[in-house]
């Protein structure tokens, strides 16, 4: 089971750090992604980190978001800086490619004045 946390309301230009914890998956051996879904839009992959540490970012977040992994805590983070209103969405973590059964509740990120 994947549990996301760390979302909230932030002003444009602000920062948030999201966390993804797992109880039955070892992140060190798989590629983990952060996804987001804005109202009326399809869910999209924004960042991923592979078992060897290789990272990938969607163009829209490149240079602003950083994905990282803490093996000891079996947790994956998404540091989000310079947030924009268009970053508003529910953020989820999952394998990359995603497992249908592994979607959690997500965490809401709202970027607004």
């Amino acid at each position: 089971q994947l549990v996301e946390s760390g979302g909230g309301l932030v002003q444009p230009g602000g920062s948030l750090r999201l966390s993804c914890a797992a109880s039955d998956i070892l992140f060190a051996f798989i590629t983990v992604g952060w996804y987001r879904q804005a109202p009326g839009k399809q869910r999209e992959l924004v960042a991923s980190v592979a078992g060897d540490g290789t990272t990938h970012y969607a163009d829209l977040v490149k240079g602003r978001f950083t994905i990282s992994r803490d093996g000891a805590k079996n947790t994956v983070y998404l540091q989000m800086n310079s947030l924009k209103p268009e970053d508003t969405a529910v953020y989820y973590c999952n394998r990359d490619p995603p497992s249908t059964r592994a979607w959690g509740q997500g965490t809401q990120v709202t970027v607004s004045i």
Side-chain angles (χ1 to χ4, degrees), residues 35-107:
Y35 302 77
R36 69 185 182 187
Q37 187 167 22
K41 295 187 177 181
Q42 289 189 332
R43 194 172 297 176
E44 60 179 352
L45 176 68
V46 297
S48 63
V49 56
D52 65 359
T54 303
T55 56
H56 168 81
Y57 297 93
D59 289 343
L60 288 175
V61 306
K62 200 171 293 183
R64 300 188 297 122
F65 291 10
T66 302
I67 190 170
S68 62
R69 184 182 59 222
D70 184 329
K73 296 181 179 180
N74 200 37
T75 300
V76 173
Y77 301 98
L78 185 67
Q79 177 67 43
M80 306 186 295
N81 299 327
S82 302
L83 283 162
K84 304 175 181 181
E86 51 264 43
D87 295 318
T88 295
V90 179
Y91 284 71
Y92 304 86
C93 62
N94 202 329
R95 297 172 181 261
D96 178 22
S99 166
T100 302
R101 296 180 299 173
W103 292 112
Q105 295 298 311
T107 185

